[in-house]
Amino acid sequence: MKIQTLTRSIVFLAVSAVLVGAGLAQAQQGSEIDDARGAAELRAEVKDAVERDVDTANTALVFNNVTRSNSYVVCTAYDGDGNALGTKRAYVPKRGVKYLRASDLSNGVDFVGSAVCTSRERMAASAVFLGPGTITNLDVIQPGTWDATRIRFPLIATY
């Protein structure tokens, strides 16, 4: 009786492990489709903001994954009254750089507000305001050390 129970438990755990592994593999395949953009696209946006007479302004929330593990950053934007506007997830490869725009977080709605982001891995973050004919570095708050996993962008905007 005990051997049958033990055998059933082992079979159950083995089947569960296979199903969980398959689910994780499927989640990883689909989860790389997000709004994160790479370093080359950020370079192009900075160049466009400086060299062209653009009519729009946006903030780039930039993340550098400082670990040897792939990770995700989840960000939520808040308007000036503290109302949540939207949440997006960005895949950041190990030692890689990706960014989200403020307009990604607000689903294209113009706003001035803030954002809070979290990650399971350590990230180094920065914010760049891309305005008509200019770029400006904005403050980023990472409590504790520079590689905190909770990141606050106290001022972001898109219009």
CSV table of all heavy atoms in Angstrom, one decimal, residues 54-59 102-103 106 108-112 129-132 156-159:
chain,number,residue,atom,x,y,z
A,54,VAL,N,10.6,67.7,-34.6
A,54,VAL,CA,9.5,66.8,-34.3
A,54,VAL,C,8.4,67.6,-33.5
A,54,VAL,O,8.7,68.5,-32.8
A,54,VAL,CB,9.9,65.6,-33.5
A,54,VAL,CG1,10.8,64.7,-34.3
A,54,VAL,CG2,10.6,66.0,-32.2
A,55,ASP,N,7.1,67.2,-33.7
A,55,ASP,CA,6.0,67.8,-33.0
A,55,ASP,C,5.6,67.1,-31.7
A,55,ASP,O,4.8,67.6,-31.0
A,55,ASP,CB,4.8,67.9,-33.9
A,55,ASP,CG,5.0,68.7,-35.1
A,55,ASP,OD1,5.9,69.7,-35.0
A,55,ASP,OD2,4.4,68.5,-36.1
A,56,THR,N,6.3,66.0,-31.4
A,56,THR,CA,5.9,65.2,-30.2
A,56,THR,C,7.0,65.1,-29.2
A,56,THR,O,8.2,65.3,-29.6
A,56,THR,CB,5.5,63.8,-30.6
A,56,THR,OG1,6.6,63.1,-31.3
A,56,THR,CG2,4.3,63.8,-31.6
A,57,ALA,N,6.7,64.8,-28.0
A,57,ALA,CA,7.7,64.6,-27.0
A,57,ALA,C,7.3,63.3,-26.3
A,57,ALA,O,6.2,62.9,-26.2
A,57,ALA,CB,7.6,65.7,-25.9
A,58,ASN,N,8.3,62.6,-25.8
A,58,ASN,CA,8.1,61.3,-25.2
A,58,ASN,C,9.3,61.1,-24.2
A,58,ASN,O,10.3,61.7,-24.3
A,58,ASN,CB,8.1,60.2,-26.2
A,58,ASN,CG,7.1,59.1,-25.9
A,58,ASN,OD1,6.8,58.9,-24.7
A,58,ASN,ND2,6.6,58.4,-26.9
A,59,THR,N,9.1,60.2,-23.3
A,59,THR,CA,10.1,59.8,-22.3
A,59,THR,C,10.5,58.3,-22.6
A,59,THR,O,9.6,57.5,-22.7
A,59,THR,CB,9.7,60.0,-20.9
A,59,THR,OG1,9.2,61.3,-20.7
A,59,THR,CG2,10.8,59.7,-19.9
A,102,ALA,N,7.0,56.3,-22.6
A,102,ALA,CA,5.9,56.7,-21.8
A,102,ALA,C,4.6,56.5,-22.5
A,102,ALA,O,3.6,56.1,-21.9
A,102,ALA,CB,6.0,58.2,-21.3
A,103,SER,N,4.6,56.7,-23.8
A,103,SER,CA,3.4,56.5,-24.6
A,103,SER,C,3.0,55.1,-24.7
A,103,SER,O,1.8,54.7,-24.8
A,103,SER,CB,3.5,57.1,-26.0
A,103,SER,OG,4.6,56.5,-26.7
A,106,SER,N,0.9,54.5,-21.5
A,106,SER,CA,-0.4,55.2,-21.4
A,106,SER,C,-1.3,54.8,-22.6
A,106,SER,O,-2.3,55.4,-22.8
A,106,SER,CB,-0.2,56.7,-21.4
A,106,SER,OG,0.3,57.1,-22.6
A,108,GLY,N,-0.8,55.5,-25.6
A,108,GLY,CA,-0.9,56.6,-26.6
A,108,GLY,C,-1.6,57.8,-26.0
A,108,GLY,O,-1.6,58.8,-26.8
A,109,VAL,N,-2.1,57.8,-24.8
A,109,VAL,CA,-2.7,59.0,-24.2
A,109,VAL,C,-1.6,60.0,-23.8
A,109,VAL,O,-0.7,59.6,-23.1
A,109,VAL,CB,-3.6,58.6,-23.0
A,109,VAL,CG1,-4.2,59.8,-22.3
A,109,VAL,CG2,-4.7,57.7,-23.5
A,110,ASP,N,-1.8,61.3,-24.1
A,110,ASP,CA,-0.9,62.3,-23.6
A,110,ASP,C,-1.0,62.5,-22.1
A,110,ASP,O,-2.1,62.5,-21.6
A,110,ASP,CB,-1.2,63.6,-24.3
A,110,ASP,CG,-0.9,63.6,-25.8
A,110,ASP,OD1,-0.3,62.6,-26.3
A,110,ASP,OD2,-1.2,64.6,-26.5
A,111,PHE,N,0.1,62.6,-21.4
A,111,PHE,CA,0.0,62.8,-20.0
A,111,PHE,C,1.4,63.3,-19.4
A,111,PHE,O,2.4,63.1,-20.1
A,111,PHE,CB,-0.4,61.5,-19.2
A,111,PHE,CG,0.7,60.5,-19.0
A,111,PHE,CD1,1.4,60.4,-17.8
A,111,PHE,CD2,1.1,59.7,-20.0
A,111,PHE,CE1,2.4,59.5,-17.6
A,111,PHE,CE2,2.2,58.8,-19.9
A,111,PHE,CZ,2.8,58.7,-18.6
A,112,VAL,N,1.4,63.8,-18.2
A,112,VAL,CA,2.6,64.1,-17.4
A,112,VAL,C,2.3,63.4,-16.1
A,112,VAL,O,1.3,63.6,-15.5
A,112,VAL,CB,2.8,65.6,-17.2
A,112,VAL,CG1,3.9,65.9,-16.3
A,112,VAL,CG2,3.0,66.3,-18.6
A,129,PHE,N,14.2,62.2,-21.7
A,129,PHE,CA,13.1,62.9,-22.3
A,129,PHE,C,13.5,63.4,-23.7
A,129,PHE,O,14.5,64.0,-23.9
A,129,PHE,CB,12.7,64.2,-21.4
A,129,PHE,CG,11.6,65.0,-22.0
A,129,PHE,CD1,10.3,64.4,-21.9
A,129,PHE,CD2,11.8,66.2,-22.6
A,129,PHE,CE1,9.2,65.2,-22.4
A,129,PHE,CE2,10.7,66.9,-23.1
A,129,PHE,CZ,9.4,66.4,-23.0
A,130,LEU,N,12.7,62.9,-24.7
A,130,LEU,CA,12.9,63.2,-26.1
A,130,LEU,C,12.0,64.3,-26.5
A,130,LEU,O,10.8,64.0,-26.9
A,130,LEU,CB,12.8,61.9,-26.9
A,130,LEU,CG,13.6,60.7,-26.4
A,130,LEU,CD1,13.1,59.5,-27.1
A,130,LEU,CD2,15.1,61.0,-26.7
A,131,GLY,N,12.4,65.5,-26.4
A,131,GLY,CA,11.5,66.6,-26.8
A,131,GLY,C,11.9,67.2,-28.2
A,131,GLY,O,12.9,66.8,-28.8
A,132,PRO,N,11.0,68.1,-28.7
A,132,PRO,CA,11.3,68.7,-30.0
A,132,PRO,C,12.7,69.4,-30.0
A,132,PRO,O,12.9,70.4,-29.2
A,132,PRO,CB,10.2,69.7,-30.1
A,132,PRO,CG,9.1,69.2,-29.2
A,132,PRO,CD,9.8,68.6,-28.1
A,156,ILE,N,7.7,61.6,-15.9
A,156,ILE,CA,7.7,61.1,-17.3
A,156,ILE,C,6.6,61.9,-18.0
A,156,ILE,O,5.6,62.3,-17.4
A,156,ILE,CB,7.6,59.6,-17.5
A,156,ILE,CG1,6.2,59.1,-17.0
A,156,ILE,CG2,8.7,58.9,-16.8
A,156,ILE,CD1,6.0,57.6,-17.3
A,157,ALA,N,6.7,62.0,-19.3
A,157,ALA,CA,5.6,62.7,-20.1
A,157,ALA,C,5.6,62.2,-21.5
A,157,ALA,O,6.6,61.7,-22.1
A,157,ALA,CB,5.9,64.2,-20.0
A,158,THR,N,4.5,62.4,-22.1
A,158,THR,CA,4.3,62.2,-23.6
A,158,THR,C,3.2,63.1,-24.0
A,158,THR,O,2.2,63.2,-23.4
A,158,THR,CB,4.0,60.7,-23.9
A,158,THR,OG1,3.9,60.6,-25.4
A,158,THR,CG2,2.8,60.2,-23.3
A,159,TYR,N,3.5,63.8,-25.1
A,159,TYR,CA,2.5,64.7,-25.7
A,159,TYR,C,2.8,65.1,-27.1
A,159,TYR,O,3.9,64.8,-27.6
A,159,TYR,CB,2.3,66.0,-24.8
A,159,TYR,CG,3.5,66.7,-24.5
A,159,TYR,CD1,4.1,67.7,-25.4
A,159,TYR,CD2,4.2,66.5,-23.3
A,159,TYR,CE1,5.2,68.4,-25.1
A,159,TYR,CE2,5.4,67.2,-23.1
A,159,TYR,CZ,5.9,68.1,-23.9
A,159,TYR,OH,7.0,68.8,-23.6
